[in-house]
Amino acid sequence: MTTHVWDYLAEYATERDDILDAVQQVFASGRLVLGDSVRGFETEFAAYHDLPRCTGVDNGTNAVKLALEACGIGPGDEVITVSNTAAPTVVAIDGTGATPVFVDVRAEDHLMDTSLVEAAVTPRTKAILPVHLYGQCVDMEPLLRIAHTHGLRIVEDCAQAHGARRDGRLAGTMGDAAAFSFYPTKVLGAYGDGGAVLTADEDIDRAMRRLRYYGMEDVYYVERTPGHNSRLDEVQAEILRRKLTRLDTYIADRRSIAERYAEGLADLCGPGRLELPAVSDGNEHVYYVYVVRHPRRDEVIRRLRERYDIVLNISYPWPVHTMRGFAHLGVERGSLPVTEELAGKIFSLPMYPSLRKAQQDKVIDALRDVLQTLD
């Protein structure tokens, strides 16, 4: 039986009655768009983060885009971010008309190298967009100081960091606004698509609510442009409400799997060999993905697939600045050396809460066998 890097069917089998009850509740409610389920989820997701305001939107990409627009970011502006991220982060910046400006990442944890950010600030810089990648947080203190000094906004990309903490603070509570994705693979995932923006700022929240609804507050009357049709679906919102009550359990299960991987693979690690995820000081990792490194990554992945029917993923094989779709940015290869080196070595082991111990053992044993034949 094929082992995939992610699968939801075992989780669905366990939670099926609750998920279907959520669907039935919405269908019987008489309100299918921006009803009680969206309002309830917004309130509960904000409360989980001890913040006053949340706006549900249709996906994580638009969460980033609309958060930037709500912060006043648009054509002619620059937004500092990283290239070692899922492309939607940069698609969203590009979609506002602003220009993404990349800084490199740290080799040890793949996160934004905050020591490089201030040098990237120009008179056109209006925001910093740190990506809390793979399940742990960027070091936010330096970014907060830089933002204060230069009058910049900070929009956190929390698509991969639901429930992650840094120095006790939850991802999404440290900047001006925070964008979340609820794509099915996420730590808190819907049964379709969805997103949200958290903020403590009343003006940002008001702008978000207009932006997601054509620029309207009252029906048929546009208050501002641009406006979008970016509303969180009622069914997905109700499912997310149910799953939010289990978020801490999902995180605990992910951490347990990460511990088993670390224990089962530790003796195969070292320079020029396998490298496991590093947790930065002050961080509480939630392991959205379990990203490892090996200099012969492609051969490892091929052998695992051919010999053991284990199908893995790379997050991400192409840094954004190397993609043809972003050639207009004019960022040269070699300008982000750590990002580019990591892209040739990283790959993800299976990671989801319902991954059974027998499946975990299969992955550990198979990877041990493949790596020992390569040494």
Side-chain angles (χ1 to χ4, degrees):
M1 182 177 179
T2 303
T3 299
H4 293 280
V5 74
W6 177 79
D7 189 288
Y8 74 93
L9 292 176
E11 179 182 288
Y12 177 64
T14 300
E15 300 181 358
R16 179 179 182 275
D17 290 346
D18 195 35
I19 300 302
L20 294 183
D21 182 69
V23 176
Q24 170 61 24
Q25 177 179 314
V26 172
F27 286 177
S29 72
R31 181 70 181 269
L32 298 177
V33 178
L34 293 184
D36 290 342
S37 292
V38 168
R39 286 190 292 270
F41 175 71
E42 290 172 340
T43 298
E44 292 154 17
F45 195 62
Y48 180 90
H49 292 85
D50 196 25
L51 285 174
R53 298 172 181 87
C54 172
T55 303
V57 296
D58 54 344
N59 57 65
T61 308
N62 280 338
V64 176
K65 182 175 183 286
L66 271 61
L68 289 168
E69 290 182 353
C71 288
I73 309 305
D77 297 334
E78 293 178 349
V79 178
I80 298 172
T81 191
V82 293
S83 182
N84 181 38
T85 183
T89 302
V90 186
V91 168
I93 297 171
D94 198 59
T96 68
T99 299
V101 174
F102 300 116
V103 296
D104 215 341
V105 298
R106 306 191 303 190
E108 60 270 25
D109 59 14
H110 309 186
L111 297 170
M112 175 183 276
D113 187 339
T114 57
S115 70
L116 303 175
V117 171
E118 190 145 30
V121 175
T122 76
R124 293 176 56 196
T125 305
K126 294 297 187 293
I128 305 170
L129 205 165
V131 179
H132 300 315
L133 196 69
Y134 302 154
Q136 65 175 329
C137 296
V138 172
D139 182 5
M140 293 295 293
E141 285 302 317
L143 299 185
L144 292 168
R145 289 195 296 269
I146 294 167
H148 177 74
T149 299
H150 296 279
L152 308 178
R153 294 288 202 176
I154 293 181
V155 175
E156 300 173 67
D157 184 339
C158 302
Q160 303 186 11
H162 309 74
R165 293 177 184 268
R166 180 166 183 81
D167 297 327
R169 298 183 66 181
L170 279 165
T173 66
M174 295 174 273
D176 294 285
F180 288 80
S181 169
F182 306 119
Y183 186 74
T185 62
K186 304 303 184 184
V187 180
L188 178 62
Y191 276 71
D193 225 331
V197 174
L198 289 174
T199 185
D201 188 306
E202 185 176 356
D203 291 335
I204 293 174
D205 184 66
R206 184 181 299 110
M208 278 296 309
R209 292 180 179 278
R210 289 175 174 174
L211 285 165
R212 75 166 176 188
Y213 190 54
Y214 311 110
M216 297 179 183
E217 284 188 6
D218 296 322
V219 176
Y220 303 130
Y221 190 90
V222 173
E223 295 280 356
R224 63 167 291 170
T225 58
H228 309 274
N229 180 7
S230 299
R231 300 166 296 201
L232 178 62
D233 179 74
E234 275 287 289
V235 171
Q236 300 304 335
E238 187 58 38
I239 291 171
L240 288 166
R241 292 182 74 182
R242 312 293 182 93
K243 296 190 72 176
L244 179 60
T245 66
R246 300 187 282 271
L247 176 56
D248 291 342
T249 299
Y250 297 151
I251 292 170
D253 290 343
R254 288 173 178 273
R255 287 174 175 155
S256 177
I257 295 167
E259 288 177 6
R260 295 197 78 233
Y261 281 153
E263 291 171 1
L265 299 168
D267 63 310
L268 299 176
C269 296
R273 305 173 75 201
L274 185 69
E275 295 182 61
L276 301 181
V279 182
S280 297
D281 291 344
N283 273 350
E284 298 175 37
H285 208 311
V286 296
Y287 296 101
Y288 164 59
V289 282
Y290 192 87
V291 176
V292 301
R293 289 185 274 181
H294 195 278
R296 298 170 68 179
R297 184 265 314 279
D298 294 345
E299 188 173 358
V300 171
I301 289 177
R302 179 180 59 78
R303 292 190 185 191
L304 286 170
R305 182 181 65 250
E306 293 176 353
R307 296 181 184 180
Y308 298 98
D309 203 18
I310 296 173
V311 180
L312 301 184
N313 187 47
I314 302 170
S315 299
Y316 300 92
W318 301 286
V320 174
H321 71 283
T322 68
M323 297 179 184
R324 284 189 298 273
F326 292 103
H328 64 283
L329 298 177
V331 181
E332 296 182 359
R333 286 182 180 267
S335 61
L336 303 170
V338 178
T339 295
E340 293 174 29
E341 181 182 1
L342 289 173
K345 297 179 179 179
I346 54 178
F347 63 105
S348 304
L349 303 187
M351 174 58 73
Y352 48 94
S354 58
L355 187 71
R356 299 186 304 274
K357 287 187 176 180
Q359 294 172 297
Q360 297 166 35
D361 289 339
K362 175 185 175 182
V363 173
I364 292 168
D365 292 344
L367 185 53
R368 290 187 62 86
D369 180 64
V370 167
L371 293 178
Q372 286 167 349
T373 63
L374 290 177
D375 285 343

